[in-house]
Amino acid sequence: MLLDRPVQSLLLISAFSSVTTAWELPLVSRVWPSGKQEVLEVVSAPEPDNHVRVAIIGAGAGGSSAAFWIAKAKERHGLEVLVDVFDKASYIGGRSTTIHPYDDPELGTEELGASIFVNANKNLMRATKEFNLTLTDLAHEDAGFAIWDGKQFLITIDGTWWDAPRVIWRYGIFAANRVKAAVNAMVNSLDTTYTPGTHNTWRSVEELSEMLGFSDIHDRTADKWYDSKNINPKFTRELIEGATRVNYCQDIDQIHGLGGAVSMAANGASQVEGGNFQIFEGFLKHSDAQVHLGSTITGLTKTTVGDRTKWHLEGSHEAARHGYDHVILTAPIHNAGITLKDSSATFPTIEYVRLHVTILSTTSFRPLSSYFGINGDVPRTILTSAEGVRNGGPAPEFNSVSYHRTITLNGQEEHIFKIFSVDRKSHEWLEDLFGAGTIGWVYRKEWDSYPKLPPTSTFPAVKPDTGLWYVNSLEPWVSTMETETLSARNVVDLLLQETFGAGICYADGKGPIETEGDDQSKVYGWDC
């Protein structure tokens, strides 16, 4: 998910309700950029024989971490595996990418895609420590917000002592604590996937859901799931829907319960100073994999001789000529433009949300009250609800407007805002929102940001065919940067167990291994 700063605004509620729940052959050289996404220099390398070859398609969260998990197993067990990572983009990070206001690095970095991660994301948090990255804590930034339904503000939170009685009056005294209990139970269950020896691998997403007790969460819409927890319907359809509309661009009565629960798991939200993509660069830097950027893979052909299966890649890179024992797909198959030949693999069609992201600078301190037809100031962050639409009113023209920070340009302050919407916002519309002549810099991006998450009980296969593995099998379950790293870890564990009888933390003939350290703080994969 493109978990953005508006969800941090919802944590203001914790001041009076304790909602602090936890929960986005030429070879590349080993010259790794720091704080800047760029094309890396291409060099050549020798080609060892008699190794297991693995191709990873995609260099985002899933692909980079898959290469890293393989490297961990090689380090522990001396496995002979050659890994090639292919990505059609010229940079590492996938949907985690950054821009600079006015294209000036001196003015700082803005996350265009996957914006923040949270304390419960143990792989990403551990990576920032291992790779010596600096985190920016977002918890104390300008956090006032309001919920807009297209016609009126349903509630405004401004950080004053009036917030507590205002929320209790509208939603009742128990709503927030019941949300906290429901979401914390989900987070605590998911947390067991990090504990060595418990829920570390699964052969299907359905098996994972059954292990964690999530089957009755994602088989219904989020509003129905929260209703089953006796939460005030207004709280669900206003405040929680504000989170699902900014995080997944989906209404509370469209998204499944697990997506609705994860949308409220935002405790300890952080991002990496200079860009989250540096986490994924770190994974690859420590992987010993050969990384081929700007390399489009268009086809996979399966060949079988006796009991030996090989995969041959079609694409723009010379390295694709090799036969691979395994291919790990970490990009949505239907969006990747990859054709499978002589394979029995099938993939259900997963629809993606087409999102418009608009990032801008303005001399206006906040959006204009005139746009909303009211007198007085409006908050700098505005989330939205479809409750007005359900009651016959107009739809909000945006999903969220969020204030990010202030820059100084030529001695004048300009304020950075990010807007999520389902359509392109014209310059005229932006001036209606912020004022004529106030807009300085504008950057627009349209992309398939995350999957639609309707209620479901079935998911894509983790292993669609012999030697073919699908990290994105987990995306219709829930889509975050962290869950991509979890899915990649699972795929690598299964692949290594099948090929070598050993896994990330399992030695051939010796059973599970144990690394040093406090068992309570261990994170499976990093530790054993």
Side-chain angles (χ1 to χ4, degrees), residues 26 86-89 292-299 313-321:
F86 300 90
D87 199 298
K88 63 183 178 181
H292 313 284
L293 300 179
S295 300
T296 301
I297 302 302
T298 58
L313 280 56
E314 298 175 9
S316 62
H317 202 284
E318 184 182 353
R321 73 179 188 273

Short mmCIF file of all heavy atoms in Angstrom, two decimals, residues 26 86-89 292-299 313-321:
data_model
loop_
_atom_site.label_atom_id
_atom_site.label_comp_id
_atom_site.label_asym_id
_atom_site.label_seq_id
_atom_site.Cartn_x
_atom_site.Cartn_y
_atom_site.Cartn_z
N PRO A 26 26.62 -8.79 -19.69
CA PRO A 26 26.91 -7.57 -18.98
C PRO A 26 26.20 -7.62 -17.63
O PRO A 26 25.06 -8.04 -17.55
CB PRO A 26 26.34 -6.48 -19.89
CG PRO A 26 26.12 -7.15 -21.21
CD PRO A 26 25.86 -8.57 -20.90
N PHE A 86 16.49 -9.14 -12.78
CA PHE A 86 16.15 -8.34 -13.96
C PHE A 86 15.05 -7.33 -13.60
O PHE A 86 14.09 -7.68 -12.89
CB PHE A 86 15.64 -9.22 -15.10
CG PHE A 86 16.62 -10.25 -15.58
CD1 PHE A 86 16.65 -11.52 -15.02
CD2 PHE A 86 17.52 -9.96 -16.60
CE1 PHE A 86 17.55 -12.49 -15.45
CE2 PHE A 86 18.43 -10.91 -17.04
CZ PHE A 86 18.44 -12.18 -16.46
N ASP A 87 15.20 -6.12 -14.07
CA ASP A 87 14.13 -5.13 -13.90
C ASP A 87 14.12 -4.21 -15.12
O ASP A 87 15.17 -3.75 -15.56
CB ASP A 87 14.32 -4.31 -12.63
CG ASP A 87 13.02 -3.63 -12.20
OD1 ASP A 87 12.51 -2.79 -12.97
OD2 ASP A 87 12.52 -3.93 -11.10
N LYS A 88 12.92 -3.97 -15.64
CA LYS A 88 12.81 -3.12 -16.83
C LYS A 88 13.10 -1.66 -16.52
O LYS A 88 13.44 -0.88 -17.42
CB LYS A 88 11.43 -3.27 -17.46
CG LYS A 88 10.28 -2.81 -16.58
CD LYS A 88 8.94 -3.07 -17.27
CE LYS A 88 7.76 -2.67 -16.39
NZ LYS A 88 6.46 -2.95 -17.06
N ALA A 89 12.96 -1.28 -15.24
CA ALA A 89 13.26 0.10 -14.86
C ALA A 89 14.77 0.32 -14.78
O ALA A 89 15.54 -0.63 -14.70
CB ALA A 89 12.62 0.43 -13.51
N HIS A 292 20.50 -6.62 -13.34
CA HIS A 292 20.41 -6.13 -14.72
C HIS A 292 19.24 -5.15 -14.81
O HIS A 292 18.09 -5.55 -14.97
CB HIS A 292 20.19 -7.30 -15.68
CG HIS A 292 21.13 -8.45 -15.43
ND1 HIS A 292 22.45 -8.44 -15.80
CD2 HIS A 292 20.92 -9.65 -14.82
CE1 HIS A 292 23.03 -9.58 -15.46
NE2 HIS A 292 22.12 -10.33 -14.86
N LEU A 293 19.56 -3.87 -14.70
CA LEU A 293 18.53 -2.84 -14.80
C LEU A 293 18.30 -2.48 -16.26
O LEU A 293 19.16 -2.70 -17.12
CB LEU A 293 18.95 -1.62 -14.00
CG LEU A 293 19.19 -1.85 -12.50
CD1 LEU A 293 19.62 -0.56 -11.82
CD2 LEU A 293 17.96 -2.43 -11.83
N GLY A 294 17.13 -1.92 -16.54
CA GLY A 294 16.78 -1.60 -17.91
C GLY A 294 16.65 -2.83 -18.78
O GLY A 294 16.85 -2.77 -20.00
N SER A 295 16.31 -3.95 -18.16
CA SER A 295 16.23 -5.24 -18.87
C SER A 295 14.81 -5.76 -18.83
O SER A 295 14.33 -6.19 -17.78
CB SER A 295 17.18 -6.26 -18.23
OG SER A 295 18.52 -5.81 -18.28
N THR A 296 14.14 -5.71 -19.96
CA THR A 296 12.74 -6.13 -20.04
C THR A 296 12.67 -7.62 -20.38
O THR A 296 13.23 -8.06 -21.39
CB THR A 296 11.99 -5.33 -21.10
OG1 THR A 296 12.06 -3.94 -20.76
CG2 THR A 296 10.54 -5.76 -21.19
N ILE A 297 11.98 -8.38 -19.54
CA ILE A 297 11.73 -9.80 -19.81
C ILE A 297 10.32 -9.91 -20.38
O ILE A 297 9.34 -9.47 -19.77
CB ILE A 297 11.86 -10.65 -18.54
CG1 ILE A 297 13.26 -10.49 -17.93
CG2 ILE A 297 11.57 -12.11 -18.84
CD1 ILE A 297 14.40 -10.86 -18.86
N THR A 298 10.21 -10.49 -21.58
CA THR A 298 8.92 -10.56 -22.26
C THR A 298 8.32 -11.96 -22.29
O THR A 298 7.13 -12.11 -22.58
CB THR A 298 9.06 -10.07 -23.71
OG1 THR A 298 10.05 -10.86 -24.38
CG2 THR A 298 9.48 -8.61 -23.73
N GLY A 299 9.15 -12.99 -22.04
CA GLY A 299 8.62 -14.35 -22.12
C GLY A 299 9.41 -15.33 -21.28
O GLY A 299 10.60 -15.13 -21.00
N LEU A 313 14.50 -17.42 -20.66
CA LEU A 313 13.92 -16.09 -20.65
C LEU A 313 14.08 -15.43 -22.02
O LEU A 313 15.10 -15.59 -22.68
CB LEU A 313 14.61 -15.21 -19.60
CG LEU A 313 14.18 -15.37 -18.14
CD1 LEU A 313 14.32 -16.79 -17.63
CD2 LEU A 313 14.95 -14.39 -17.25
N GLU A 314 13.05 -14.74 -22.41
CA GLU A 314 13.12 -13.90 -23.60
C GLU A 314 13.11 -12.45 -23.14
O GLU A 314 12.31 -12.06 -22.30
CB GLU A 314 11.91 -14.14 -24.51
CG GLU A 314 11.81 -15.56 -25.05
CD GLU A 314 10.53 -15.77 -25.84
OE1 GLU A 314 9.83 -14.77 -26.10
OE2 GLU A 314 10.23 -16.92 -26.18
N GLY A 315 14.04 -11.67 -23.69
CA GLY A 315 14.08 -10.28 -23.27
C GLY A 315 15.23 -9.52 -23.87
O GLY A 315 15.94 -10.02 -24.76
N SER A 316 15.44 -8.32 -23.35
CA SER A 316 16.39 -7.40 -23.95
C SER A 316 17.81 -7.59 -23.45
O SER A 316 18.72 -6.95 -23.97
CB SER A 316 15.95 -5.96 -23.67
OG SER A 316 15.93 -5.71 -22.27
N HIS A 317 18.01 -8.45 -22.45
CA HIS A 317 19.34 -8.57 -21.86
C HIS A 317 20.03 -9.86 -22.28
O HIS A 317 19.42 -10.92 -22.35
CB HIS A 317 19.26 -8.49 -20.33
CG HIS A 317 20.55 -8.09 -19.70
ND1 HIS A 317 21.61 -8.96 -19.57
CD2 HIS A 317 20.96 -6.91 -19.20
CE1 HIS A 317 22.61 -8.32 -18.99
NE2 HIS A 317 22.25 -7.07 -18.75
N GLU A 318 21.33 -9.78 -22.50
CA GLU A 318 22.10 -10.93 -22.95
C GLU A 318 22.06 -12.07 -21.95
O GLU A 318 22.08 -13.24 -22.31
CB GLU A 318 23.56 -10.50 -23.20
CG GLU A 318 24.45 -11.60 -23.75
CD GLU A 318 25.88 -11.13 -23.94
OE1 GLU A 318 26.13 -9.92 -23.75
OE2 GLU A 318 26.73 -11.96 -24.27
N ALA A 319 22.00 -11.72 -20.65
CA ALA A 319 22.01 -12.76 -19.62
C ALA A 319 20.77 -13.65 -19.69
O ALA A 319 20.77 -14.76 -19.17
CB ALA A 319 22.11 -12.12 -18.23
N ALA A 320 19.72 -13.17 -20.34
CA ALA A 320 18.49 -13.94 -20.42
C ALA A 320 18.66 -15.23 -21.24
O ALA A 320 17.79 -16.08 -21.24
CB ALA A 320 17.37 -13.09 -21.03
N ARG A 321 19.80 -15.38 -21.92
CA ARG A 321 20.00 -16.58 -22.74
C ARG A 321 20.22 -17.82 -21.89
O ARG A 321 20.11 -18.94 -22.36
CB ARG A 321 21.20 -16.39 -23.66
CG ARG A 321 22.56 -16.44 -22.96
CD ARG A 321 23.69 -16.25 -23.97
NE ARG A 321 24.99 -16.47 -23.38
CZ ARG A 321 25.70 -15.55 -22.75
NH1 ARG A 321 25.20 -14.33 -22.62
NH2 ARG A 321 26.88 -15.81 -22.25
#
